[in-house]
Amino acid sequence: QVQPVESGGGLVQAGGSLGLSCTASELTFDDYNMAWFLQAPGKERDGVSCIHWSVRSTYYADSVRGRFTIARDNAKNTLYLQMNSLKPEDTAMYYCAAGGPCSGGKWSLPGPYPYWGQGTQVTVSS
């Protein structure tokens, strides 16, 4: 059984910052592209950002580009998402996913990702 585990969510005021982490010790971490997804109540899960296993490329949703930064430490089997200038519309459950594509424009759908964490809640107040 493989399940990434997210941490770092919480409540923050608009304009503030949060840093999320994801660990997946069961995986050989540098074999997998990694991604963050979000899902707000009543909405479909959608990609936030992905990072190639070799860190040769990263992709961001238009809504977060310039505010969020994805990073990884393969030696620690850890994925990060630094979220700055948070907005109320960023409020969602954030999920760590492993094993999907991270290339071109075909990265942001959840279907190709075989491994998922249980999520960590991010709430941004006005």
Side-chain angles (χ1 to χ4, degrees):
Q1 182 173 315
V2 175
Q3 186 170 47
V5 178
E6 304 93 340
S7 63
L11 175 65
V12 65
Q13 291 185 332
S17 298
L18 284 174
L20 306 184
S21 297
C22 169
T23 61
S25 61
E26 302 91 348
L27 300 175
T28 302
F29 209 70
D30 62 0
D31 286 347
Y32 295 90
N33 301 330
M34 303 290 293
W36 290 98
F37 284 75
L38 62 77
Q39 189 165 24
K43 295 186 179 296
E44 295 181 348
R45 193 171 298 188
D46 201 8
V48 177
S49 181
C50 73
I51 185 166
H52 192 266
W53 68 267
S54 68
V55 202
R56 74 185 183 190
S57 58
T58 59
Y59 293 89
Y60 294 91
D62 290 344
S63 60
V64 308
R65 189 175 294 111
R67 299 188 296 121
F68 292 8
T69 302
I70 192 169
R72 65 192 298 164
D73 186 337
N74 290 341
K76 297 180 179 179
N77 279 10
T78 303
L79 175 73
Y80 304 96
L81 184 69
Q82 180 62 45
M83 304 185 293
N84 298 325
S85 301
L86 282 160
K87 304 174 180 179
E89 52 262 44
D90 297 321
T91 295
M93 188 73 74
Y94 283 73
Y95 297 90
C96 174
C102 188
S103 62
K106 301 294 184 68
W107 64 271
S108 63
L109 297 177
Y113 287 82
Y115 304 118
W116 292 88
Q118 291 297 304
T120 185
Q121 179 67 38
V122 172
T123 302
V124 184
S125 66
S126 300

